[in-house]
Amino acid sequence: MLTKKFCFVNGEKLDKLIDYILNIKNLEAILLTGELGAGKTTLTSQIAKKLGETKAIISPTFNTIIVYDKLVHIDAYKLKGDLFAYEDYFENKLVIIEWANNVKTNFRKFLEINVTLDLKGNHIFEIMKEVY
């Protein structure tokens, strides 16, 4: 499979990527990997807004998990193993996991997206794996 890349200058809305993601029917999870400060939480925030989430999206770094009306946001930076303890919160919500490479997941329909910055400071979102 060829990877898909989306490039955005700093501060640019991520609408093209978000529309691509949200057009996938029955998507269960978005698994984010990549550099610190590259835009993982920004992507999550803009997805939440497009889903109609009214609460402000913040990084769950200290809480590990934040459950919103429309999605579940997990920071797996300090986690290991699986997410079994969190699965009760997943029902009927899109799950977005930052640092997803640190945990094992059992999602059937998901995207893996690697988030980086290029030498000019542009945000690069590379869809590494699509399963749906």
Side-chain angles (χ1 to χ4, degrees):
M1 177 190 106
L2 294 174
T3 60
K4 292 180 179 67
K5 275 189 184 180
F6 295 82
C7 180
F8 300 92
V9 296
N10 194 22
E12 182 180 359
K13 292 212 178 285
L14 308 177
D15 290 339
K16 188 168 61 170
L17 172 59
I18 293 166
D19 290 342
Y20 178 83
I21 291 168
L22 295 181
N23 278 321
I24 299 170
K25 301 288 185 223
N26 302 314
L27 184 65
E28 295 174 328
I30 301 168
L31 310 177
L32 301 174
T33 60
E35 304 169 4
L36 186 65
K40 295 180 293 294
T41 301
T42 298
L43 174 61
T44 302
S45 178
Q46 290 188 28
I47 289 171
K49 187 173 184 178
K50 195 86 162 193
L51 288 172
E53 181 59 58
T54 57
K55 296 176 187 162
I57 302 300
I58 59 171
S59 176
T61 301
F62 299 107
N63 302 359
T64 307
I65 181 172
I66 301 176
V67 179
Y68 297 95
D69 294 333
K70 308 287 182 178
L71 60 91
V72 174
H73 190 191
I74 297 173
D75 185 316
Y77 187 75
K78 299 177 195 166
L79 298 178
K80 297 290 180 226
D82 62 34
L83 297 174
F84 180 75
Y86 300 113
E87 288 180 3
D88 287 345
Y89 299 105
F90 296 173
E91 192 171 335
N92 299 318
K93 296 180 191 287
L94 179 62
V95 178
I96 302 177
I97 304 172
E98 296 186 29
W99 306 103
N101 51 316
N102 289 341
V103 293
K104 296 178 188 119
T105 63
N106 295 317
F107 298 107
R108 293 178 314 247
K109 298 179 180 182
F110 64 90
L111 289 177
E112 285 182 13
I113 302 175
N114 189 48
V115 186
T116 57
L117 295 169
D118 69 10
L119 295 176
K120 296 179 181 176
N122 297 315
H123 298 270
I124 309 298
F125 298 86
E126 188 172 7
I127 298 175
M128 306 302 290
K129 188 173 188 179
E130 300 180 62
V131 178
Y132 49 87

